[in-house]
Amino acid sequence: MIVALALGLALLIQAFLIKPYQIPSGSMEPTLDIGQRVLVNRFVYHFDDPSPGDVVVFRPPSGVSSNGPECGVRAKPGQACPEATEGESPDTFIKRIVAGPGDTVAVEGGIPVVNGSPQQPDGYEIIPCGQGGQGCNLPEPVTVPEGHYFVMGDNRGQSDDSRFWGPLPEESLIGKAFGTYWPPNRIGGL
């Protein structure tokens, strides 16, 4: 009976409160390495709005595909995708919010330019774009629609993110990553 109760409690916690996720790619390096495991608070956004700097787990738009990302509309030359495709992918991604509803976003050298101001990392590191990788320079701004967020990976030259498939609808957010628990030498907060 005690084992069944403990198992039931663990399943409830994972379903509604805190869920572990494993990092599948290098798109969030150096913040999160491939194979590292994070804990995600699944209920925080019921009480507080997401904000720039949050590391979030989410279901990306259906435009994320094995054939390459798709934008929901035709972007202007030199512009990030302004609108995502309809629906959600079954995959889960982890990225950092760089802009919120109503913000304008352009990208210069992999650095988001939000409302005309370059947003240098504050309290975390990024891997810059390098030699003109795709999506590193998108000087034509897009406006993030209400109820949406613009997300980017910290490994700016190796991340499939809002630059390519558009702003993320808030309802696609699963939760906010708040700590790492594996490997033991990387245990800590985010």
Side-chain angles (χ1 to χ4, degrees), residues 52 98-100 102-107 111-119 144 150:
V98 298
D103 289 336
T104 60
V105 182
V107 180
I111 302 296
V113 178
V114 180
N115 301 323
S117 298
Q119 302 298 300
V144 181
F150 200 91

Side-chain angles (χ1 to χ4, degrees), residues 43-56 97 99-101 146-149 170 173 175-176:
F43 67 91
V44 68
Y45 293 135
H46 295 289
F47 305 104
D48 196 14
D49 290 330
S51 59
D54 289 357
V55 176
V56 294
I97 294 175
E146 282 304 312
H148 288 70
Y149 293 88
E170 185 171 2
L173 293 174
K176 178 180 177 179

Side-chain angles (χ1 to χ4, degrees), residues 84-168:
T85 58
E86 293 290 323
E88 285 182 350
S89 167
D91 300 325
T92 54
F93 280 22
I94 185 166
K95 306 289 181 199
R96 187 178 301 276
I97 294 175
V98 298
D103 289 336
T104 60
V105 182
V107 180
E108 292 179 8
I111 302 296
V113 178
V114 180
N115 301 323
S117 298
Q119 302 298 300
Q120 295 295 335
D122 185 20
Y124 62 94
E125 293 181 35
I126 64 166
I127 296 176
C129 266
Q131 301 299 320
Q134 186 179 12
C136 291
N137 291 300
L138 301 167
E140 185 70 32
V142 298
T143 299
V144 181
E146 282 304 312
H148 288 70
Y149 293 88
F150 200 91
V151 296
M152 291 175 69
D154 289 351
N155 187 349
R156 299 294 164 78
Q158 301 295 317
S159 178
D160 184 9
D161 52 40
S162 288
R163 293 174 288 176
F164 309 107
W165 38 255
L168 179 71

Side-chain angles (χ1 to χ4, degrees), residues 3 9 16 19 21 24 30 32 45 61 69 92 99 139 144 156 160 166 187-188:
V3 172
L9 184 60
F16 299 107
K19 184 167 175 98
Y21 285 91
L32 298 168
Y45 293 135
T92 54
V144 181
R156 299 294 164 78
D160 184 9
I187 291 174

